[in-house]
Amino acid sequence: TYRRERTTVQLNFNSALSDSPNASTTRNQVDLNGKRLLRWDNWFYEGAGTYLQNSAQGIDAQVFLGGGFGRYLKNTNTARISLIGGIGVQNTQYEEKPSEHDVLAMIACEVNVFRFKKTDLTLTAVALPNLSNSGRVRYNVNAQYKIQLISDFWWNISFYGNWDSRPPAGL
């Protein structure tokens, strides 16, 4: 995370590998977003990009690029809560299915609660209603809790999820 008085840029990378005698799965996700405060207090605009590879869902590569406007509902030295609305495009390449190109609306909520140098809880929930395929909605959730044990040694637990209300047949 890179923060300035009116600008924030954040890059996140998550990777999960699972191997068992019956199945092996990989999931890799990279998120890049930037926010810039507007002249009006607590309003901002945001640009976002996401790359996802998930063998369990049959996704070779899924790229989302979008942007929108948001508002901080709370922005203090211990909590930051915001709502964002916008639009984006997504290209999904499946392992054994044709590629999909979609225009999506974006509705997101971000919650960050922290005590400096002690704990940090981050929750991001995103709903992506499909504008080019009416009735289809994708949901993404990422949650992370970190607690400092000693000095620069942190313990971290995280949760992620991706859901599709109408995935391609067979997936």
Side-chain angles (χ1 to χ4, degrees):
T1 301
Y2 175 79
R3 287 193 176 105
R4 286 288 182 232
E5 186 177 336
R6 302 193 64 80
T7 305
T8 300
V9 178
Q10 189 171 23
L11 176 68
N12 292 313
F13 171 72
N14 296 299
S15 184
L17 309 170
S18 175
D19 191 22
S20 69
N22 298 334
S24 295
T25 61
T26 61
R27 181 188 184 278
N28 298 294
Q29 183 173 339
V30 178
D31 298 309
L32 175 65
N33 68 17
K35 291 180 184 168
R36 175 84 177 152
L37 279 174
L38 296 169
R39 283 186 263 190
W40 311 285
D41 283 346
N42 294 320
W43 288 92
F44 59 89
Y45 61 89
E46 177 175 11
T50 299
Y51 169 83
L52 172 68
Q53 176 278 322
N54 189 332
S55 64
Q57 292 180 320
I59 298 172
D60 274 340
Q62 184 177 76
V63 177
F64 172 82
L65 297 172
F69 291 93
R71 178 166 169 71
Y72 287 111
L73 304 176
K74 184 171 186 167
N75 191 7
T76 68
N77 61 352
T78 59
R80 198 170 22 253
I81 301 170
S82 62
L83 289 176
I84 302 131
I87 195 163
V89 293
Q90 183 169 280
N91 180 31
T92 306
Q93 297 173 0
Y94 292 98
E95 292 172 355
E96 298 176 11
K97 304 287 180 186
S99 295
E100 294 181 353
H101 311 282
D102 297 309
V103 176
L104 307 170
M106 176 179 66
I107 305 158
C109 177
E110 296 176 351
V111 176
N112 187 248
V113 180
F114 45 89
R115 287 186 43 206
F116 289 105
K117 298 197 178 211
K118 295 288 178 205
T119 63
D120 188 340
L121 171 67
T122 304
L123 172 66
T124 304
V126 182
L128 299 164
N130 196 321
L131 301 176
S132 24
N133 186 353
S134 184
R136 186 175 183 185
V137 181
R138 292 190 172 112
Y139 305 94
N140 299 324
V141 174
N142 285 299
Q144 179 181 37
Y145 178 71
K146 297 188 310 187
I147 186 166
Q148 184 180 31
L149 298 177
I150 55 170
S151 187
D152 288 329
F153 185 71
W154 291 75
W155 178 74
N156 173 5
I157 185 167
S158 58
F159 167 82
Y160 60 84
N162 308 70
W163 297 273
D164 190 337
S165 65
R166 284 199 322 231
L171 294 178

